[in-house]
Amino acid sequence: MKKLLFCMAVPVFLLGSSSALADTCTESGVIEVVGHAKVDVMPDIAVLSYSARDENKDSVKARNSVEKKITSLYDKALSLGVKKEQIISGSITLYPKYHYTEKSKRVFDGYFCSRDIVFKIDDFSLIEKITTAAVDSGIGDINGFGYEIKDTTAIKKDADTKAIADARDQAQRLADGFGVKIKKACSLKFEDNNSNGFYPKNRAAVSLMAVKAEAAPVATEYMPEKQSVESNVYATFSIE
């Protein structure tokens, strides 16, 4: 018995590539611009960093000396109104020190110990008071004073908005100048960087020997400079 085979024709639709059907955004040319904006703002956080150091043949004595200085400054700062959450007390460092003689013999000098403590305060009038407390506590190393902006979110949004407006304005001026029309936006992106557009200033590091508090001159008021929050937006527009 012969078997009959039935074949059914299936319509095949050939689709063109998406790139062929889609607007490539470059058929009539493009305008590329970089919008930029910068918003200046006064910092509202002061970052103060100090180090307590000591050397001693006895490691326990070296450590106890450093801990005593840090604890003294910590307690004094709390009495000045600094909150615990505004204090960052770093880990302690302790290691032996040696020197070599002319005959390359290693000689033990003692143990070096250090510990850092950092204050992040929003009351700038405390800068001089905390520094005086550090000196009174036997701490003679000021690692540096810096200033920061506590929350840059709203400022960054403001900078972004102004950068977008700048990009649009540049694109329109180019289009008007060359007698073309902007068709649509093809590519839009913010500059990708780790600093998130924030460019701090006023970072300074100093190292001072401890002096008696009563011998210290009256300090000039600490006045930070404005800091900048910047934004860059890259935009490409098709034209006709």
Side-chain angles (χ1 to χ4, degrees), residues 84-115:
K84 290 184 178 180
E85 55 268 26
Q86 295 178 311
I87 305 174
I88 304 170
S89 185
S91 59
I92 195 164
T93 300
L94 178 68
Y95 60 85
K97 291 185 66 178
Y98 300 89
H99 76 271
Y100 289 87
T101 65
E102 294 179 356
K103 295 182 179 180
S104 298
K105 182 180 179 180
R106 191 172 74 163
V107 179
F108 175 67
D109 293 324
Y111 290 92
F112 175 80
C113 187
S114 68
R115 187 175 182 182

Side-chain angles (χ1 to χ4, degrees), residues 42-48 80-83 85-87 119-127 130 146-151 222 224:
M42 289 297 294
D44 49 12
I45 297 291
V47 183
L48 319 176
L80 290 170
V82 179
K83 300 176 182 178
E85 55 268 26
Q86 295 178 311
I87 305 174
F119 301 89
K120 290 192 173 185
I121 57 175
D122 51 14
D123 182 356
F124 290 1
S125 68
L126 291 177
I127 295 177
I130 294 174
Y147 299 93
E148 298 178 353
I149 301 171
K150 185 175 183 180
D151 186 3
Y222 291 93

Side-chain angles (χ1 to χ4, degrees), residues 47-53 70 73 88 90-91 112 114-119 131 134 139-146 202-209:
V47 183
L48 319 176
S49 177
Y50 308 88
S51 291
R53 308 174 187 273
I70 291 295
L73 176 55
I88 304 170
S91 59
F112 175 80
S114 68
R115 187 175 182 182
D116 295 338
I117 185 168
V118 178
F119 301 89
T131 301
I139 295 176
D141 291 305
I142 303 176
N143 298 329
F145 291 171
N202 301 12
R203 282 289 177 184
V206 291
S207 180
L208 302 177
M209 296 300 292

Side-chain angles (χ1 to χ4, degrees), residues 4-103:
L4 298 179
L5 300 177
F6 294 92
C7 297
M8 183 172 62
V10 178
V12 177
F13 297 94
L14 298 178
L15 299 178
S17 64
S18 59
S19 60
L21 296 179
D23 185 353
T24 63
C25 266
T26 58
E27 294 176 350
S28 303
V30 296
I31 288 176
E32 295 181 340
V33 295
V34 180
H36 175 75
K38 181 177 73 171
V39 177
D40 292 332
V41 61
M42 289 297 294
D44 49 12
I45 297 291
V47 183
L48 319 176
S49 177
Y50 308 88
S51 291
R53 308 174 187 273
D54 197 17
E55 290 186 39
N56 198 294
K57 294 286 186 179
D58 188 327
S59 62
V60 175
K61 290 182 178 179
R63 177 175 179 177
N64 287 344
S65 174
V66 166
E67 294 288 20
K68 182 180 179 180
K69 295 174 183 177
I70 291 295
T71 300
S72 174
L73 176 55
Y74 183 89
D75 291 340
K76 284 181 171 64
L78 292 179
S79 68
L80 290 170
V82 179
K83 300 176 182 178
K84 290 184 178 180
E85 55 268 26
Q86 295 178 311
I87 305 174
I88 304 170
S89 185
S91 59
I92 195 164
T93 300
L94 178 68
Y95 60 85
K97 291 185 66 178
Y98 300 89
H99 76 271
Y100 289 87
T101 65
E102 294 179 356
K103 295 182 179 180

Side-chain angles (χ1 to χ4, degrees), residues 177-239:
F178 287 93
V180 297
K181 292 183 179 180
I182 295 177
K183 189 176 180 181
K184 69 174 184 178
C186 297
S187 174
L188 303 169
K189 68 174 183 178
F190 286 112
E191 182 179 43
D192 184 16
N193 56 56
N194 294 327
S195 65
N196 195 30
F198 175 49
Y199 300 89
K201 301 176 182 177
N202 301 12
R203 282 289 177 184
V206 291
S207 180
L208 302 177
M209 296 300 292
V211 295
K212 292 183 179 180
E214 60 268 22
V218 177
T220 303
E221 182 181 0
Y222 291 93
M223 298 292 292
E225 295 180 48
K226 287 184 178 180
Q227 297 182 349
S228 300
V229 176
E230 300 191 23
S231 177
N232 290 309
V233 60
Y234 296 85
T236 302
F237 301 92
S238 62
I239 56 177

